[in-house]
Amino acid sequence: GESVGLHLPTLSVQEGDNSIINCAYSNSASDYFIWYKQESGKGPQFIIDIRSNMDKRQGQRVTVLLNKTVKHLSLQIAATQPGDSAVYFCAEKASGTYKYIFGTGTRLKVLA
Amino acid sequence: DSGVTQTPKHLITATGQRVTLRCSPRSGDLSVYWYQQSLDQGLQFLIQYYNGEERAKGNILERFSAQQFPDLHSELNLSSLELGDSALYFCASTREGDNEQFFGPGTRLTVL
């Protein structure tokens, strides 16, 4: 069954190419950011996080970039694979709070 | 498998009814978060509990309530259900001092 709705922005990428998924966050006081992957019928799964004292963090095949000046976050996936097809969410949290605010999500479709 | 369990997986009920959704966090996790995911929206934070106490409140309706029990499992109670309450409901848990949330598989609620 589907996890999210039909009105998400969609990014279609050829298998093997790099993907870049963008997110604009809302709160200038946010100091912690996370990217989640949600496959159909499953709960969100943590991919990578970054704190506001950094502007770049790398994981396995993934890189998160943070631009605090324009309140922008991006997720780069290298050598995109069919298993990367999912909905990707960014989330933000402000220091001293326990509330996570999620973005609306982007659907990534990997074309064979 | 995140280690977070949710029951039931699916729930179909009628308007005006009341339901209870259950969540068991990962072993050792003291915090439980509840989220609602509707078709036309992203993940909306509802409420957070830490070791039995309410810690943060989000966009939770007055018809909804939650609690966390001494064994750390949590229940989300939804009453006077409306058609618009149809959604996926996720819980997530975190460890003390850790920001990474682990999500359960969700409960899909359908209100007819």
Side-chain angles (χ1 to χ4, degrees):
Chain A
E2 75 285 0
S3 301
V4 294
L6 305 175
H7 305 294
L8 293 173
T10 298
L11 175 66
S12 296
V13 174
Q14 204 69 35
E15 182 179 355
D17 287 352
N18 297 335
S19 303
I20 300 177
I21 301 171
N22 297 304
C23 176
Y25 63 93
S26 56
N27 187 358
S28 56
S30 292
D31 67 346
Y32 179 69
F33 306 88
I34 314 172
W35 278 101
Y36 286 93
K37 173 185 180 183
Q38 188 175 23
E39 296 174 280
S40 182
K42 297 184 179 180
Q45 179 184 9
F46 173 93
I47 302 173
I48 191 168
D49 60 358
I50 189 168
R51 296 196 176 276
S52 59
N53 61 353
M54 304 173 70
D55 52 22
K56 180 179 179 179
R57 189 160 188 233
Q58 287 185 291
Q60 188 176 15
R61 277 203 311 121
V62 295
T63 301
V64 55
L65 299 178
L66 175 62
N67 185 331
K68 294 181 288 294
T69 303
V70 295
K71 292 191 286 187
H72 183 268
L73 198 64
S74 70
L75 176 70
Q76 300 178 2
I77 304 174
T80 312
Q81 302 169 0
D84 295 326
S85 292
V87 176
Y88 290 81
F89 293 97
C90 66
E92 60 181 297
K93 187 177 83 68
S95 175
T97 72
Y98 303 101
K99 182 177 175 180
Y100 291 78
I101 301 172
F102 281 74
T104 52
T106 297
R107 188 183 305 278
L108 176 64
K109 286 188 177 179
V110 181
L111 309 173
Chain B
D1 184 2
S2 67
V4 178
T5 60
Q6 289 187 249
T7 56
K9 191 170 176 61
H10 300 279
L11 197 50
I12 300 175
T13 188
T15 55
Q17 295 298 305
R18 173 189 169 95
V19 297
T20 297
L21 312 183
R22 183 187 169 104
C23 168
S24 292
R26 291 187 316 158
S27 177
D29 287 3
L30 300 179
S31 283
V32 170
Y33 300 75
W34 284 99
Y35 293 89
Q36 180 192 58
Q37 187 175 45
S38 303
L39 277 180
D40 58 354
Q41 294 183 15
L43 282 156
Q44 300 291 317
F45 169 71
L46 296 177
I47 198 164
Q48 183 213 356
Y49 279 81
Y50 174 80
N51 203 21
E53 299 291 324
E54 180 185 308
R55 183 178 253 187
K57 219 167 189 176
N59 302 322
I60 188 167
L61 299 172
E62 285 191 12
R63 301 184 284 109
F64 296 1
S65 64
Q67 53 184 328
Q68 187 179 25
F69 295 87
D71 67 352
L72 301 177
H73 91 271
S74 179
E75 292 181 356
L76 179 67
N77 301 295
L78 315 176
S79 61
S80 303
L81 285 167
E82 302 175 359
L83 296 177
D85 298 326
S86 295
L88 277 162
Y89 291 84
F90 289 101
C91 78
S93 70
T94 60
R95 199 141 283 163
E96 177 70 21
D98 194 351
N99 283 313
E100 182 178 346
Q101 296 186 332
F102 290 84
F103 281 80
T107 293
R108 179 175 292 281
L109 174 67
T110 302
V111 182
L112 301 175

